[in-house]
Amino acid sequence: MTPLPKDFTEQTQAIFGDELWNDFLRAMQEEPPVSIRLNPYRLSNLWTVIGGQPVPWCHHGYYLASRPQFTFDPLLHAGAYYVQEASSMFLDEVLRQHINGQGPITALDLCAAPGGKSTLLRTAIGADGILVSNEPNGKRAQILAENIQKWGAPGMYVTNNYPASFSKSGMAFDLILTDVPCSGEGMFRKDEGAITEWSLEHVQRCSQLQREIVGEAWQCLRPGGLLVYSTCTFNTHENEENVKWILENFDAEILPVETRPEWNITGSLLPDFSAPVSRFIPGRTRGEGLFMAPIRKKGDAAPRPWQKNMQGMRKLKVISENRLPESLPQVELTYEQALLYLRREALALPSDAPRGLLTVSYLGLPLGQVKNIGSRANNLYPKEWRIKSTHHEGKTMVLVQRTPNEQ
């Protein structure tokens, strides 16, 4: 592994203290855990994870025993599950404790790519909820749109705008997630590029940008609404100090999250700041670095019907909208055929397959569409989504489907 920067080591050891720092250093030499989150919009309760262990703070999260070749699992591309780091799934626990029973929720994920927290958020707010997933970077917004479309839940919009566009739009949200761009210290174990890009100057730039983003988000959060602030970094400048700044500069109150001792979640590491924040630190918790704090906007206002927010949506750059899928005849593919389809190669369907537009599926889950003209089927899988790699080591299996009598 790339050596940790000297400034990072000195700063983080001072924040953690010797015991926590030694736990962290030991974890940095270990393989990070692999975890996925199931999609209840795609799967029935008959599906199960092979050798999976539940992530305790997320209803649909599971640790895997090892990392498979996810690229070659058609069920991943069908949106049956999302590969997500387990600490990030703590958002599920936060939302269960603070938005359950509030009725239809209108939510905004302001910095959403690649989409892990957005797909979790959409599941958490319930069938009647609406989610706008935004990403300012154009290329990352396209990746976000792909993952959102594959998740398949209705009521999801993908936008490509800077945060200021939302504060100017006149929209009002019940829930805003600000998973802000950060210095990425919590990704060091998984991404050595994050180590080489780190610097004290980068930390300070991120801290300032994070405050700007929260300031824009606060303007479109209704009174009584919930803002969830999160990073994947360790230093207090981007975490506790920013939460303290929010509490001092806005009409805000931080909300506690009840956790279990065996989760080994760390609280505030900033001296003289005891607000109930949650830190996930490798070596203590089974996951990567995460900081999260739910913050309520004081006051009260009735949720705004989504129709009133649509005027503001017209001022934004909308990339995609998830609607209920078109009902088409469905043709089941084998594993080998599914990979051909995902590579956007030619398919030969059974002679009795209907002509025209069809949905092709794998293990009953839709992968996309083809146009069957008889002698061949034109592959309509989006070009930008296709699998480019050809090397894989046999069939990848992450999920299996049980029969009802196996329950």
Side-chain angles (χ1 to χ4, degrees):
M1 189 185 78
T2 302
L4 297 175
K6 181 175 180 291
D7 287 338
F8 168 80
T9 296
E10 293 177 351
Q11 173 177 266
T12 310
Q13 187 171 8
I15 293 170
F16 283 7
D18 290 343
E19 183 179 351
L20 183 53
W21 174 251
N22 289 332
D23 289 344
F24 169 74
L25 285 183
R26 183 176 63 253
M28 291 294 288
Q29 306 304 317
E30 300 169 351
E31 286 295 319
V34 181
S35 49
I36 65 170
R37 184 170 38 78
L38 304 186
N39 183 354
Y41 291 100
R42 296 289 198 202
L43 302 176
S44 71
N45 61 3
L46 296 179
W47 288 88
T48 187
V49 181
I50 299 173
Q53 294 181 344
V55 174
W57 46 81
C58 180
H59 277 180
H60 304 291
Y62 291 87
Y63 294 104
L64 302 184
S66 60
R67 188 175 191 88
Q69 290 185 296
F70 287 116
T71 300
F72 301 104
D73 185 1
L75 294 181
L76 171 69
H77 301 276
Y81 62 90
Y82 192 97
V83 182
Q84 185 176 25
E85 195 279 308
S87 298
S88 295
M89 300 182 198
F90 186 63
L91 177 64
D92 189 53
E93 184 70 33
V94 170
L95 298 181
R96 281 206 306 272
Q97 293 189 27
H98 291 297
I99 68 165
N100 270 2
Q102 293 188 14
I105 297 289
T106 299
L108 168 65
D109 186 352
L110 198 52
C111 312
K117 290 187 179 69
S118 269
T119 54
L120 186 156
L121 203 164
R122 179 63 189 90
T123 301
I125 63 177
D128 296 331
I130 296 291
L131 173 63
V132 178
S133 296
N134 180 69
E135 173 53 47
N137 181 284
K139 289 184 178 180
R140 285 172 56 81
Q142 293 300 326
I143 297 171
L144 173 65
E146 175 184 349
N147 288 327
I148 293 300
Q149 290 177 52
K150 287 179 176 179
W151 197 247
M156 299 184 78
Y157 298 80
V158 176
T159 59
N160 174 211
N161 299 271
Y162 288 107
S165 298
F166 286 90
S167 62
K168 295 175 183 177
S169 71
M171 301 174 75
F173 293 91
D174 309 308
L175 168 63
I176 299 179
L177 172 62
T178 53
D179 186 39
V180 288
C182 69
S183 57
E185 297 164 357
M187 299 297 292
F188 281 2
R189 184 163 62 166
K190 295 177 64 176
D191 180 8
E192 294 197 6
I195 299 177
T196 60
E197 294 171 4
W198 187 91
S199 68
L200 291 174
E201 293 77 13
H202 185 45
V203 168
Q204 292 301 324
R205 287 194 299 270
C206 287
S207 176
Q208 183 59 41
L209 175 61
Q210 291 152 2
R211 295 185 181 193
E212 293 172 5
I213 291 172
V214 169
E216 300 291 353
W218 199 257
Q219 297 179 57
C220 47
L221 181 67
R222 71 166 175 84
L226 181 69
L227 182 139
V228 179
Y229 179 85
S230 70
T231 75
C232 61
T233 204
F234 299 126
N235 68 79
T236 57
H237 302 301
E238 300 175 71
N239 294 326
E240 287 93 341
E241 290 179 26
N242 273 354
V243 171
K244 185 178 180 182
W245 175 84
I246 294 170
L247 298 178
E248 292 172 346
N249 287 274
F250 300 102
D251 202 12
E253 61 178 344
I254 193 165
L255 303 178
V257 180
E258 294 183 11
T259 62
R260 300 192 178 196
E262 62 267 26
W263 297 355
N264 294 317
I265 296 173
T266 305
S268 174
L269 294 178
L270 181 66
D272 300 321
F273 184 73
S274 58
V277 300
S278 300
R279 281 176 167 274
F280 287 66
I281 299 174
R284 286 290 176 91
T285 46
R286 194 177 177 190
E288 300 308 292
L290 176 82
F291 176 93
M292 188 167 286
I295 300 169
R296 180 182 176 273
K297 188 173 189 177
K298 293 181 181 179
D300 194 22
R304 178 184 292 184
W306 177 244
Q307 291 77 4
K308 290 189 177 180
N309 269 332
M310 285 304 294
Q311 291 184 348
M313 282 292 289
R314 297 187 185 101
K315 301 177 183 179
L316 303 175
K317 182 180 179 181
V318 179
I319 295 178
S320 68
E321 175 187 352
N322 275 21
R323 300 176 182 269
L324 291 174
E326 183 181 0
S327 180
L328 296 171
Q330 189 163 305
V331 176
E332 181 75 5
L333 302 181
T334 65
Y335 177 77
E336 290 74 18
Q337 289 175 320
L339 289 186
L340 288 175
Y341 176 74
L342 294 169
R343 291 189 178 110
R344 214 171 184 273
E345 298 180 11
L347 285 178
L349 299 182
S351 58
D352 60 351
R355 301 294 191 267
L357 279 178
L358 306 174
T359 295
V360 292
S361 62
Y362 176 69
L363 297 181
L365 301 183
L367 292 171
Q369 295 181 354
V370 298
K371 184 174 184 180
N372 187 21
I373 59 176
S375 58
R376 70 179 188 279
N378 292 335
N379 194 328
L380 302 181
Y381 196 65
K383 292 180 180 179
E384 62 273 18
W385 296 4
R386 71 188 186 278
I387 295 176
K388 297 177 182 179
S389 176
T390 58
H391 175 72
H392 67 285
E393 300 170 359
K395 190 173 183 179
T396 295
M397 292 288 291
V398 175
L399 308 178
V400 293
Q401 193 172 22
R402 302 171 296 184
T403 60
N405 60 8
E406 291 179 303
Q407 284 191 292

